[in-house]
Amino acid sequence: MADHFLTKSQIDLSQCLPWGGGLALEAHGALRAALAARISQRAADLFAEPLINRGNDAAPASISWYSAHAGEGRPLSELDETEQARVAAQLSDLLRPVRELLADSEDGTLIGAALHLAGSARGDVWVVDGQPVLINWGMLPAGADRSQASRSAHYNRTLGRFLPLSKAPPLTEDERRQRADAAGPSPLAAAGAGIGGAAAGGDAPPPEPPAPVPPPDEAPPPRRLRAWEWAPLLVLLLLVGGAVIWLLIPGNRLFPPRMAAVVEDARAAEIAAEINAALEARRAALQAALDGAQCRADGTLIMPGGRTIEGLLPPVPGSPADRPGQRAEADPTPVLPPDPARVQVPDLDPGDPGSTAVADASLLEVIESRTVMVVARGPDGVATGSGFFVAPDLVMTNFHVVSGAASDSIFVTNRSLGTLRPTQLLRADGPFEPTGSDFALLRVPGVSARHFTLLRPAGSLKLQSVIAAGYPGDVLATDTAFAALTSGDISAVPDLTVTDGTVNTEQAVSAAIRAVVHSAPISQGNSGGPLVDMCGRVVGMNTFVRQGALRNLNFALSAPDVIGFLRAAGASPSITGTDCRPEVLRPGVPAEQVTPVEAGPEPGATPGGDAPRLPDFGALPPRAD
């Protein structure tokens, strides 16, 4: 028997799940033996030992829980964010091998019953001596429906966070046999459609495509447009067609081969289903906008919601506020993102003059001055990636961009810095596969640069317009400034590449890390670069691409996870949680009114001493991460 008392739970015995003519709780010994023999002793120690008091008329039933680990136990919810993330990753690792046992004829239903928790993941997961321990297992909430659909929803809210499954763990032989019959390579695996290019097999077959929506009843023919009135509609058709063509072009993974299995098979299928649904919704919205668009007499194209294609209310003839170059508030979810050179970034934090824009700065200016190219010399040659300032002298990037580089062989540059700058690696968490993290923090000595504000959103980011910025390798290959840099000219700065799109969905890619899935095209070399909303805040860090048969999906690790990493590193980034209400200059701005792009050294920047020595590119072509 486990010797170390944890806590006591008052229960209703009807909450307990049956197994083998008794309760699953009463089979703790058999459960422990099966896990120890078939997985590991650590997996067996995961389930606390119950001592059941069945109660009487005077007292309710209760369970005393005991752990094999010595020390004081605490619920997961009482730990700080960093420790919660560590324990969550550990719990995922312990549970991962359990999936294969759920179809086992001998132990499948017992293990399936044990994976049901009566409460929540935060309350029923305890931590003892740094190890996760489960209490209230083998039970459901009092009065809960025991159908598989209801149990699946409850499971996804509890242990499903750490061991994703398409259906609740089996309780009966029929459910176990269904799982066994469904085992084997899935169509996703055969198509090579896993995250990052990995084969995704799994727990469930991929979802069926949505049924086609029948067309609406025929409407009376609209007024025939004059030839010149077709121009805006033609532009919209070309933009939509271009987006479709891009979706058909295969892309590249940003992670090296060992990072292929980013998401568990079953979760990969669920992610694919949710992203498909988001893309279908986006396509439907674009089609509805195209069908309902109208041209005004002045040539302005008006969407069905009464706004222009970039989210502005149509101009009122003669109104001073609607003249070219005047600011106007835009819809944060327009049909197509507005021109970032006309989006005006508000000063989100007047007390921190470096965190956002100077007066009247455009979104493009903000992005260009705060995004950097990262150059890292490692044993395999020189790698290039992207990064962004999160403090006057701190740059965030991906672990896999700088992995293997010597501490004195990592450099950054952009137009504002004006030259290649040496950095110091302060903290790195990765690689992703064993740790669930892919972050690195660099210090740039002697620099005081303007930096991004990070967004901790209060709600969903779906359909928000976003900009991805970075230095993709396929663009650098034809950049003359990059060729000069590789030849030894440290003052040569390649051009920054920006692409726009919308957020498709948000997904958990590990037990502790969430990703923002978006449609702004990225490729190798964008790793570590910022994903920015229309108010100039970072909503994620571009990290990898999932290559599918017909399209590529772009993943950015979420800003809240970047914030958690920075705080663990002792940094204090600028953070906001306000909703974005972008302001856009009316079209037709005279050239003399456009604010010039920030150039030269940032205010407060000081010389970095002797010019840094360019890493020896040698005969090896640079690789992009």
Side-chain angles (χ1 to χ4, degrees):
M1 176 177 175
D3 298 326
H4 307 287
F5 175 75
L6 282 184
T7 187
K8 187 175 183 178
S9 304
Q10 288 192 343
I11 64 164
D12 181 337
L13 288 176
S14 65
Q15 296 177 243
C16 301
L17 295 173
W19 185 82
L23 301 179
L25 286 170
E26 296 171 322
H28 176 264
L31 173 67
R32 183 180 176 86
L35 294 175
R38 306 185 68 173
I39 300 179
S40 68
Q41 188 60 49
R42 289 183 62 215
D45 292 341
L46 179 61
F47 292 85
E49 182 170 354
L51 182 61
I52 304 173
N53 179 350
R54 295 182 175 271
N56 51 44
D57 293 339
S62 64
I63 299 177
S64 297
W65 298 98
Y66 293 82
S67 170
H69 304 295
E72 180 183 359
R74 297 173 62 192
L76 182 64
S77 58
E78 294 183 4
L79 304 182
D80 61 40
E81 290 184 4
T82 302
E83 188 65 9
Q84 284 190 34
R86 184 194 66 79
V87 173
Q90 194 173 18
L91 181 55
S92 293
D93 289 340
L94 289 173
L95 288 175
R96 188 175 296 115
V98 169
R99 177 184 283 109
E100 296 182 3
L101 300 183
L102 294 178
D104 184 78
S105 59
E106 184 176 349
D107 301 315
T109 55
L110 174 56
I111 295 173
L115 292 178
H116 292 78
L117 300 183
S120 66
R122 293 170 62 84
D124 288 352
V125 177
W126 279 54
V127 182
V128 187
D129 192 26
Q131 302 295 318
V133 177
L134 303 179
I135 68 169
N136 294 330
W137 56 267
M139 295 188 286
L140 287 173
D145 181 1
R146 297 195 178 188
S147 67
Q148 192 171 52
S150 177
R151 287 189 289 112
S152 295
H154 178 67
Y155 176 81
N156 288 335
R157 293 190 295 269
T158 53
L159 286 185
R161 296 173 51 194
F162 312 102
L163 179 65
L165 300 173
S166 60
K167 295 180 181 179
L171 294 183
T172 65
E173 276 299 300
D174 285 343
E175 291 180 357
R176 185 200 63 77
R177 279 193 293 269
Q178 290 173 8
R179 178 173 294 273
D181 292 342
S186 74
L188 275 179
I195 294 297
D203 189 71
E208 295 182 2
V213 179
D217 294 336
E218 253 185 83
R223 176 182 68 85
R224 294 187 62 183
L225 297 177
R226 300 178 180 91
W228 63 270
E229 292 179 314
W230 280 100
L233 285 172
L234 180 60
V235 171
L236 178 59
L237 282 170
L238 290 174
L239 289 169
V240 174
V244 172
I245 291 172
W246 169 78
L247 289 173
L248 296 175
I249 300 174
N252 299 313
R253 288 178 294 122
L254 301 188
F255 278 150
R258 67 178 182 276
M259 299 303 299
V262 176
V263 180
E264 291 297 316
D265 294 344
R267 188 59 181 147
E270 294 172 5
I271 289 175
E274 291 189 26
I275 293 172
N276 286 342
L279 291 174
E280 288 289 345
R282 178 65 175 158
R283 186 186 70 172
L286 289 171
Q287 186 63 53
L290 181 62
D291 293 342
Q294 296 181 354
C295 276
R296 298 202 323 180
D298 60 2
T300 304
L301 185 64
I302 304 300
M303 298 295 102
R307 291 180 177 264
T308 67
I309 196 170
E310 57 186 5
L312 295 174
L313 289 172
V316 177
S319 171
D322 291 331
R323 291 174 182 168
Q326 296 298 310
R327 287 176 179 250
E329 188 175 279
D331 186 343
T333 57
V335 175
L336 292 176
D339 179 359
R342 290 185 16 246
V343 177
Q344 299 297 288
V345 176
D347 189 353
L348 300 176
D349 187 357
D352 184 357
S355 67
T356 53
V358 295
D360 298 324
S362 74
L363 176 60
L364 184 59
E365 295 163 14
V366 168
I367 293 173
E368 286 189 327
S369 64
R370 291 154 176 77
T371 307
V372 299
M373 184 172 77
V374 180
V375 181
R377 173 72 180 185
D380 298 327
V382 175
T384 62
S386 304
F388 56 96
F389 278 103
V390 292
D393 61 346
L394 298 180
V395 167
M396 275 294 300
T397 188
N398 280 133
F399 171 88
H400 75 266
V401 172
V402 299
S403 176
S407 59
D408 61 349
S409 299
I410 304 173
F411 303 82
V412 297
T413 189
N414 71 3
R415 290 286 176 85
S416 294
L417 294 175
T419 186
L420 203 67
R421 298 272 187 167
T423 72
Q424 302 164 351
L425 180 60
L426 299 183
R427 181 185 174 97
D429 285 356
F432 192 96
E433 193 167 30
T435 68
S437 185
D438 192 6
F439 298 122
L441 181 62
L442 309 174
R443 183 184 299 281
V444 190
V447 168
S448 180
R450 294 191 178 98
H451 51 279
F452 280 109
T453 292
L454 278 68
L455 177 66
R456 191 192 295 276
S460 172
L461 295 173
K462 285 185 181 180
L463 296 182
Q464 293 286 317
S465 297
V466 287
I467 303 288
Y471 295 86
D474 49 0
V475 177
L476 292 181
T478 57
D479 190 297
T480 57
F482 182 66
L485 179 66
T486 60
S487 298
D489 181 1
I490 63 172
S491 64
V493 180
D495 283 329
L496 178 72
T497 298
V498 294
T499 55
D500 59 25
T502 56
V503 174
N504 299 133
T505 189
E506 297 161 88
Q507 292 289 346
V509 293
S510 75
I513 299 294
R514 290 184 64 79
V516 178
V517 187
H518 60 91
S519 63
I522 60 176
S523 62
Q524 286 184 319
N526 277 106
S527 288
L531 184 68
V532 183
D533 70 6
M534 290 295 120
C535 290
R537 296 90 58 88
V538 171
V539 301
M541 181 169 69
N542 290 312
T543 301
F544 65 97
V545 168
R546 176 178 180 267
Q547 182 177 351
L550 296 178
R551 65 179 180 274
N552 296 334
L553 299 173
N554 313 293
F555 288 73
L557 303 186
S558 73
D561 293 321
V562 175
I563 292 169
F565 168 82
L566 288 171
R567 285 181 167 169
S572 300
S574 301
I575 302 170
T576 184
T578 59
D579 293 335
C580 179
R581 300 299 301 181
E583 291 187 340
V584 180
L585 299 182
R586 290 285 184 187
V589 185
E592 63 270 19
Q593 294 184 16
V594 178
T595 306
V597 173
E598 298 176 56
E602 291 284 353
T606 57
D610 295 335
R613 180 175 60 84
L614 185 71
D616 181 16
F617 283 84
L620 290 172
R623 63 181 176 86
D625 280 322

